């Protein structure tokens, strides 16, 4: 799960890192109000930043400076409602404008292969780090944190010195680098990134001027599997930016992952779901999803799963594979009958149910004229055959089939 910048900033600030203040606004009027407060508190102006879960907001016109509250109101009006990489901006962060002297990159990321947290830094900040990595890999310093003790002092100094942060900035850079790793561990994050970490020129009210190192942007990605340990972070989930199917699946406690194929799969048990996908592939098809309805699923879960699968317009057939243990076959069969009666479009379905109450399940399915299969191989082969028949039946040329207007089918057409 990705956190919005303003939430990520809160976590960094809570860990004692230097983050400028700021507040979120959902309307131009609110933005003006926040700007008024910040400017009367001594800020020379404000920066208005789109809060969307994608990078490159600056380049897209989603980060703008404003000198007065009226300016902030106008700029917020431009940014709110704009679309950045397909996402509509609904909120902006209003923060004091910084007088930037240099931009650095500093980030911590989980290096799964090394089983360590990798700290990366670069004096070429502000731009996308992937670009620096590609064009100038030597401009990035990489250090693995200690697996139990975090980033050690000498390691943090190594990073800071490689960025050219010496003198008064060294101690701050060390504290920030160590802090990023701490934030990562404490929140079970797999990415904590500050880009830019900037040297900012500041003028205090008593007239003194100084340059300080400040986190001007923050990006945090959390490990979804660890979220149950962090209800406070889960509460910061931005539902506006999530796929409605993912929200529905989470609410129903269905383990669902959307894929690119045409055969929707409904299975109980993660291992069986993987096996089912493998067999669909072996039979020459492509699974449209991974879906585990869990143990002991009842009729309403089955209906919810069906709705999830059918929400994908590319699905041409559904393969149901249930191994009844705690889950009762007849319960699933009843769920299927009910789901089909409510289903929005007619998609062929092949059902294989074995185990607990399989005989009762067969009776229910037969009465409702469902297509059934005894073995998984047979079920997979039938599902694939059905999608082929649908395509041939439509009389369409390859690549111009009736269902499936996705990139995959277009590429298929272009190749012939
Ligand atoms: P991103 O493009 O989504 O990564 O958004 P950032 O928060 O990193 O902002 C993009 C760029 O806007 C930064 O690299 C800065 O150059 C610039 N920027 C952000 N905040 C300020 C600010 O307070 N003052 C000035 N002058 N520029 C800023
Ligand atoms: Mn940035």
């Amino acid at each position: 799960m990705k956190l919005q910048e303003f939430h990520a900033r809160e976590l960094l600030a809570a860990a004692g890192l230097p983050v400028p203040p700021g507040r979120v606004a959902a309307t131009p009027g609110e933005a003006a109000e926040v700007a008024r407060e910040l400017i009367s508190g001594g800020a020379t102006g404000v920066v208005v930043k789109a809060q969307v879960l994608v990078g490159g907001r600056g380049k897209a016109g989603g980060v703008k400076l404003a000198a007065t509250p009226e300016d902030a109101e106008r700029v917020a009006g431009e940014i709110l409602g704009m679309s950045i990489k397909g996402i509509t901006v609904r909120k902006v962060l209003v923060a004091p404008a910084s007088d930037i002297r240099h931009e650095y990159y500093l980030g911590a990321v989980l290096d799964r292969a090394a089983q360590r947290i990798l700290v990366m830094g670069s004096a070429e900040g502000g731009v996308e780090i992937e670009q620096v990595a590609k064009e100038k890999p030597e401009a990035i310093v990489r250090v693995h944190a200690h697996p139990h003790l975090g980033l050690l002092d000498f390691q943090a100094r190594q990073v800071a010195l490689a960025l050219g942060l010496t003198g008064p900035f060294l101690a701050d850079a060390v504290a920030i680098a160590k802090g990023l790793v701490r934030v990562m561990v404490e929140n079970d994050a797999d990415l904590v990134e500050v880009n830019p970490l900037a040297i900012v020129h500041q003028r205090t009210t008593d007239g003194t001027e100084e340059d300080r190192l400040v986190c001007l942007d923050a990006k945090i990605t959390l490990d979804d599997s660890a979220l149950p340990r962090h209800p406070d972070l889960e509460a910061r989930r931005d539902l506006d930016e999530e796929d409605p199917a993912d929200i529905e699946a989470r609410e129903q406690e269905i383990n669902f992952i959307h894929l690119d194929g045409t055969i929707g799969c409904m299975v109980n048990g993660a291992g069986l779901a993987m096996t089912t996908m493998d067999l669909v592939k072996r039979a020459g098809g492509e699974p449209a999803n991974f879906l585990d309805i869990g143990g002991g699923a009842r009729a309403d879960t089955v209906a919810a799963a069906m709705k999830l699968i059918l929400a994908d317009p590319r699905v041409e057939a559904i393969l149901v594979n249930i191994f009844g243990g705690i889950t009762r076959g007849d319960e699933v069969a009843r769920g299927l009958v009910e789901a089909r009666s409510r289903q929005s479009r007619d998609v062929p379905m092949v059902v294989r149910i074995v185990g607990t109450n399989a005989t009762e399940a067969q009776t229910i399915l037969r009465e409702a004229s469902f297509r059934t299969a005894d073995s998984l191989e047979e079920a997979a082969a039938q599902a694939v055959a059905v999608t082929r028949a649908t395509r041939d039946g439509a009389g369409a040329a390859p690549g111009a089939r009736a269902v499936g207007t996705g990139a995959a089918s277009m590429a298929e057409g272009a190749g012939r």
Side-chain angles (χ1 to χ4, degrees), residues 329-342:
D330 58 326
E331 184 82 33
V332 173
R334 257 188 292 276
L336 289 172
V337 173
E338 155 124 37
R340 194 176 63 177
S341 73
R342 279 193 273 150

Side-chain angles (χ1 to χ4, degrees), residues 154-337:
F154 83 92
Q155 295 183 304
R157 274 197 297 275
Q158 197 181 324
V159 173
L161 293 173
L163 302 194
L165 289 166
T166 54
F169 303 118
L170 181 60
D172 284 348
V174 165
I176 294 168
K178 292 176 71 172
L180 293 190
V181 173
R182 226 169 40 239
V183 167
M184 181 139 164
V185 173
E186 277 167 13
N187 297 289
D188 287 308
D190 37 39
L191 174 83
V192 179
E193 193 181 78
V194 176
N195 187 24
L197 170 69
I199 290 185
V200 166
H201 188 68
Q202 293 182 335
R203 211 165 304 140
T204 47
T205 36
D206 60 11
T208 48
E209 300 194 16
E210 60 167 3
D211 284 351
R212 286 207 50 205
L213 210 47
V214 181
C215 304
L216 284 194
D217 186 13
K219 184 169 162 187
I220 294 182
T221 308
L222 303 168
D223 178 350
D224 289 332
S225 306
L227 274 176
R229 304 209 278 223
H230 303 282
D232 50 326
L233 296 178
E234 173 69 52
R236 288 161 159 148
R237 187 185 287 281
D238 195 328
L239 294 178
D240 287 341
E241 287 195 40
E242 295 218 343
D243 185 340
D246 290 340
I247 298 173
E248 175 88 17
R250 203 168 40 243
E251 275 168 7
Q252 298 287 340
E253 293 181 13
I254 294 169
N255 198 347
F256 174 80
I257 295 164
H258 191 238
L259 301 168
D260 293 330
T262 56
I263 299 181
C265 300
M266 188 192 305
V267 189
N268 65 329
L272 192 59
M274 301 282 252
T275 309
T276 306
M277 288 160 58
D278 282 350
L279 284 172
V280 164
K281 283 209 160 219
R282 196 160 78 176
E286 287 293 335
N289 62 275
F290 166 98
L291 192 157
D292 169 14
I293 58 171
R298 303 187 67 88
D300 50 344
T301 315
V302 173
M306 186 68 70
K307 210 171 126 208
L308 276 176
I309 293 173
L310 285 173
D312 176 358
R314 275 185 298 200
V315 168
E316 294 173 10
I318 297 174
L319 169 53
V320 180
N321 183 26
I322 301 296
F323 185 87
I326 301 168
T327 308
R328 285 170 38 197
D330 58 326
E331 184 82 33
V332 173
R334 257 188 292 276
L336 289 172
V337 173

Side-chain angles (χ1 to χ4, degrees), residues 5 47 49 55-58 63 65 96-98 100 103 126 195-196 216-217:
E5 179 193 1
V47 58
K49 308 179 72 177
R57 294 165 301 164
V63 177
L65 295 169
S98 300
I100 301 175
E103 300 189 38
N195 187 24
L216 284 194
D217 186 13

